Amino acid sequence: MSDQNPNIDQLKDEERLKIDIPVEEEPTGSAAKPSSTDIADEFKRLGRQFADALEAAFNSEEARRMETEVRAGMKSFADEVEKVLHQAKESPTAARVKEEAVGAKERVESGEFARKAQEGMASGLRWLSTELDKLATQFTPAGRPTEQPPTEKQPPAE
């Protein structure tokens, strides 16, 4: 083979040379081995630092200024909502709704609503009775008399 085309063994040897990384030997002393108390101490220290940072952030001038702005914004929001509700309460639509509600209350209290509900219920029951009678006649053999449902007197119309 020529020098221009290296053989496979040469390529493998060159690649091994590139990949070989010297391994450092670990010391066999107890001082080099990390202990669990060191980790616990680090977490404790981290927790203290985090708490100190939060406390400093909450007690800073910027935090106080932000709190003041938020409180002022919330008060302004509440004032605007109250103003709109007050205006809506005094609007013609609100007055009309209130009048309709009072009228509905009076109709219920005067019995008009109850009378109409009773009439509707009686009418519905008559219809149901008639329909059940029709159904019963379909299943009754011919020649056997069927009993007619009693007719109900309607209350006088007011």
Side-chain angles (χ1 to χ4, degrees), residues 66-137:
M66 177 85 77
E67 180 182 359
T68 303
E69 287 178 15
V70 168
R71 286 180 187 270
M74 292 300 289
K75 184 176 181 340
S76 174
F77 173 76
D79 291 344
E80 286 297 316
V81 169
E82 185 177 346
K83 178 181 167 185
V84 167
L85 290 176
H86 185 67
Q87 288 173 349
K89 189 176 178 182
E90 294 177 353
S91 72
T93 305
R96 188 175 63 243
V97 168
K98 184 177 180 180
E99 288 173 15
E100 289 176 8
V102 168
K105 177 184 172 206
E106 289 172 357
R107 285 192 302 271
V108 168
E109 289 175 349
S110 70
E112 181 183 341
F113 180 76
R115 183 182 56 77
K116 286 184 178 182
Q118 184 179 13
E119 288 173 3
M121 182 70 78
S123 172
L125 289 173
R126 274 192 298 280
W127 174 83
L128 182 61
S129 178
T130 303
E131 294 300 312
L132 287 174
D133 184 48
K134 289 177 186 176
L135 184 64
T137 56

